[in-house]
Amino acid sequence: MGIKQLIFGEGEGYDYGALCMPSLPWKKQRHPMKFYPLDEPLPLLLSLVMGLQHAFAMVGGLITPPYVVAKFSIDSFPFAKVELQQYFIVAALITSGIGTIINVLKVEIPFSKKIFGKHLYVGSGLLSVMGTSFTFLPIFEIAILSMKADGFTGEEAYGKMLGTSMLCAVLEIFFSLLPGKTIRKTFPPVVSAVAVTLIGVALTGTGMKYWGGGVVCAEMGWKEHAQVVDSVGFGMPVSNVPSAICSGSAQVQLPYGSTEYIGLGFSVLVFLVVIELFGSTFMKNCNVILALLFGYFVAGVSNYEGLPYVDTSKIEAAPVVDFLWTQWFGIGIYGPAIIPMLIAYIVTTVETIGDVTATHEVSELKTDDKEYTRRIQGSLMADAFCSILASLFTSMPNTTFSQNNGVIAMTKCASRRAGIATGFWLIIMGVFAKIAGVITSIPDCVLGGMTIFLFANVLISGITLFGELNLKSRRIRFISVLSMCVGVGVTVWPWAFLDMRASPYTAKFWECSDCSETMKGLRNAVSIFLSTGYCIGSVLAIILNTILPEDAEEPVIEGNVRWSAIGQKSTYFANKDVDIEEEEGDESKRGTVNDEEAGSADNSGEGEEVAAADDLAEVEEAIKSE
């Protein structure tokens, strides 16, 4: 193999122009793209290009959970721990890169055949990438804020959540050892649909808080209400900390929902539309990160009364190179978060099964063979193993990323080599920490314009799963409705069970400011579980799926005739056995009576024959109306 072939490849299958050629919305694509299957030996350049697209497609999503936790949960107003925020991004990028490479390679567990009687793997062996999971974001936020209310520092609270994550990841290891049929029966599609949709609902609401200026000022907006200000007197709000004024845009500080914030966030969404209309395949696959950079550019060239929206000092303060463990948080256990974290791992199990199935479909692989079952097992094991590894790497749990299936579908590339290149790019982005410095300098409102679009993709994925269900089934519909009504309800308004920000143990369902530490822990566990919509909704779906019987069989339909309706209209055939036969090439139907009844009808005289004929005509009319 020559150097040229190694780097560029040979043949018509390697068309670099098609990747970068802009599209015109009024013209159809003339040249269909070549599909690169799982084991395609991609040349080095194409592997790096394809891997870069996957990295760009996921970087916005994987850095968001750790950045949000570091800035809004561990840190607090005035968000001065910039170095901490940057380190969290570095750790997430490097951890996700390592996890992606492990998942793509599919490593066999030594001695698994002797111990378990079958070969077990870590990794799916697909172009299936790993990233920091959104599923755990609400639990980390609520649990850290609860521990801070009890006197722990944000760093100590985060260390306890890392240990709790490691402990609870064992549950997914257990799931990975179950037979494939058992997994599919325990986590059917209706549970997947409920879980993913509720995650999308929760995250989309969070994205809106960022878009308007920031999470803290959004939740403190009630302080600006006229009645609250007047009740305090002197036209002043209740208190300045936490503030109802958003401070996530360098020196600009405005109330939540100001037109300046909304406009900057909206610039991200506008550019997404432009890319969709005119962008090349490459641009469309990494549209999220490109739109974020455009919004960042708009914010950088804008100002508010001479004050900048972008704080460049964060970029200057970031080190050129960084790596894992330059900051350490310890490892502990937070008891109240165990139950919600176990539920979160159940949810990620459901998500991973769905993601692997989707990856099989876009990779043009079968989903009904033994290899598919092995890949499900390996992917679940990779989820658990990489989540434990992530805690040791001081990062949040890792799971498969579903949005990259869209990249496979768009680029027609399912080669494992592109997956390994994706992991390589993520590690490079993490090691060169100036990239993290750029990300932390992005205004919250611009980040919100990106995250609300990204989070809504999760919501649409859940709706798509619902579209694949048989919602005409009363059982499936009942499970869906009951799980969603509770899950969406507490997501939209969690304050029925959750303490409002800066008001610990005041939720009326269980006031506990004077409780013992043990009771406070129990109370926090219940509060987190009940106020996290996808937790309570997913558990309800699993329980209902287990206890509800299958639907009764529908009435048999032959020749478009529903027998239950005919039986209600005919008095003659109510007590007789009737067969309806469909004549070939003839849409009309005729009734035939069994031999015994036909014989007695022959002996009954002319009057009964007339009555039978009348009833037969009545049935035929009923059949036609049906």
Side-chain angles (χ1 to χ4, degrees), residues 129 196 351 354-355 358-359 400-407 457-458 461:
V129 298
V196 176
E351 285 184 302
D355 290 345
T359 305
T400 55
F401 259 43
S402 59
Q403 58 260 48
N404 286 73
N405 289 324
V407 179
N457 273 279
V458 180
S461 296

Side-chain angles (χ1 to χ4, degrees), residues 43-253:
L44 181 61
L45 179 60
L46 191 58
S47 296
L48 291 174
V49 171
M50 293 294 185
L52 185 61
Q53 292 183 92
H54 280 277
F56 276 170
M58 64 187 295
V59 69
L62 74 87
I63 66 173
T64 300
Y67 179 59
V68 169
V69 168
K71 183 173 182 178
F72 298 108
S73 298
I74 298 176
D75 197 4
S76 56
F77 182 82
F79 312 115
K81 298 180 180 179
V82 178
E83 185 179 351
L84 176 74
Q85 300 166 23
Q86 293 172 347
Y87 172 76
F88 267 58
I89 294 173
V90 168
L93 288 167
I94 296 175
T95 301
S96 298
I98 295 173
T100 295
I101 293 174
I102 292 172
N103 194 35
V104 171
L105 289 177
K106 194 171 88 166
V107 181
E108 184 174 357
I109 300 175
F111 310 112
S112 58
K113 179 68 174 178
K114 292 182 179 180
I115 298 174
F116 299 99
K118 59 181 179 180
H119 294 286
L120 297 176
Y121 302 89
V122 178
S124 63
L126 301 167
L127 204 177
S128 180
V129 298
M130 303 287 287
T132 310
S133 175
F134 287 113
T135 305
F136 298 89
L137 176 57
I139 299 175
F140 267 74
E141 287 185 300
I142 296 172
I144 290 173
L145 292 175
S146 297
M147 282 186 273
K148 288 174 69 175
D150 290 337
F152 292 96
T153 66
E155 289 80 356
E156 291 171 339
Y158 182 70
K160 288 181 176 294
M161 288 305 297
L162 292 180
T164 306
S165 175
M166 292 177 66
L167 175 65
C168 296
V170 176
L171 178 64
E172 198 162 5
I173 295 178
F174 168 75
F175 286 140
S176 71
L177 301 177
L178 295 175
K181 291 182 179 179
T182 304
I183 294 175
R184 288 191 291 271
K185 185 176 181 180
T186 306
F187 305 107
V190 65
V191 176
S192 303
V194 168
V196 176
T197 304
L198 290 176
I199 291 172
V201 171
L203 293 176
T204 303
T206 302
M208 190 64 222
K209 293 177 184 178
Y210 300 144
W211 186 3
V215 172
V216 175
C217 58
E219 295 183 356
M220 292 292 104
W222 59 268
K223 289 185 176 183
E224 295 294 308
H225 196 285
Q227 292 183 349
V228 175
V229 174
D230 292 342
S231 67
V232 177
F234 308 106
M236 298 294 292
V238 178
S239 66
N240 292 324
V241 180
S243 177
I245 303 298
C246 304
S247 59
S249 302
Q251 300 178 34
V252 178
Q253 297 189 5

Side-chain angles (χ1 to χ4, degrees), residues 11 93 111 162 176 187 231 256 259 309 376 450 475 488 515 581 608:
L93 288 167
F111 310 112
L162 292 180
S176 71
F187 305 107
S231 67
Y256 177 82
T259 53
Y309 288 99
I376 291 286
M450 180 270 290
R475 178 179 181 274
V488 174
C515 298
E581 298 177 355
E608 290 188 10

Side-chain angles (χ1 to χ4, degrees), residues 282-425:
F282 181 86
M283 292 180 67
K284 289 178 181 179
N285 291 338
C286 50
N287 59 351
V288 172
I289 191 67
L290 291 177
L292 177 63
L293 292 176
F294 176 78
Y296 184 50
F297 168 76
V298 173
V301 298
S302 305
N303 67 81
Y304 177 76
E305 297 181 352
L307 298 176
Y309 288 99
V310 176
D311 186 1
T312 56
S313 64
K314 294 181 178 180
I315 304 175
E316 297 169 359
V320 176
V321 177
D322 204 351
F323 200 68
L324 302 171
W325 305 301
T326 55
Q327 295 201 36
W328 183 248
F329 308 95
I331 298 291
I333 300 293
Y334 182 52
I338 290 178
I339 294 177
M341 287 291 287
L342 288 173
I343 295 169
Y345 273 106
I346 293 174
V347 172
T348 59
T349 298
V350 174
E351 285 184 302
T352 298
I353 294 171
D355 290 345
V356 173
T357 304
T359 305
H360 261 253
E361 291 175 351
V362 296
S363 301
E364 299 185 7
L365 299 171
K366 296 180 179 179
T367 57
D368 56 357
D369 56 4
K370 292 183 178 180
E371 191 60 33
Y372 168 73
T373 303
R374 292 193 192 101
R375 288 183 177 130
I376 291 286
Q377 177 273 311
S379 191
L380 292 177
M381 186 68 77
D383 266 20
F385 177 77
C386 291
S387 292
I388 294 173
L389 201 64
S391 292
L392 295 176
F393 289 170
T394 66
S395 188
M396 293 173 64
N398 270 217
T399 60
T400 55
F401 259 43
S402 59
Q403 58 260 48
N404 286 73
N405 289 324
V407 179
I408 298 175
M410 291 289 292
T411 61
K412 302 294 184 181
C413 177
S415 173
R416 273 194 287 256
R417 292 192 179 187
I420 295 173
T422 302
F424 165 77
W425 282 118

Side-chain angles (χ1 to χ4, degrees), residues 15 51 53 93 213 225 330 414 499 550 579 589 595:
D15 184 3
Q53 292 183 92
L93 288 167
H225 196 285
D499 301 318
E550 295 292 336
D579 294 328
K589 308 293 186 297
D595 293 337

Side-chain angles (χ1 to χ4, degrees), residues 469-480 549-552 554:
L469 299 177
N470 177 21
L471 292 178
K472 293 182 179 180
S473 164
R474 179 178 177 83
R475 178 179 181 274
I476 296 297
R477 195 176 188 88
F478 183 84
I479 294 172
S480 303
E550 295 292 336
D551 288 332
E554 293 290 331

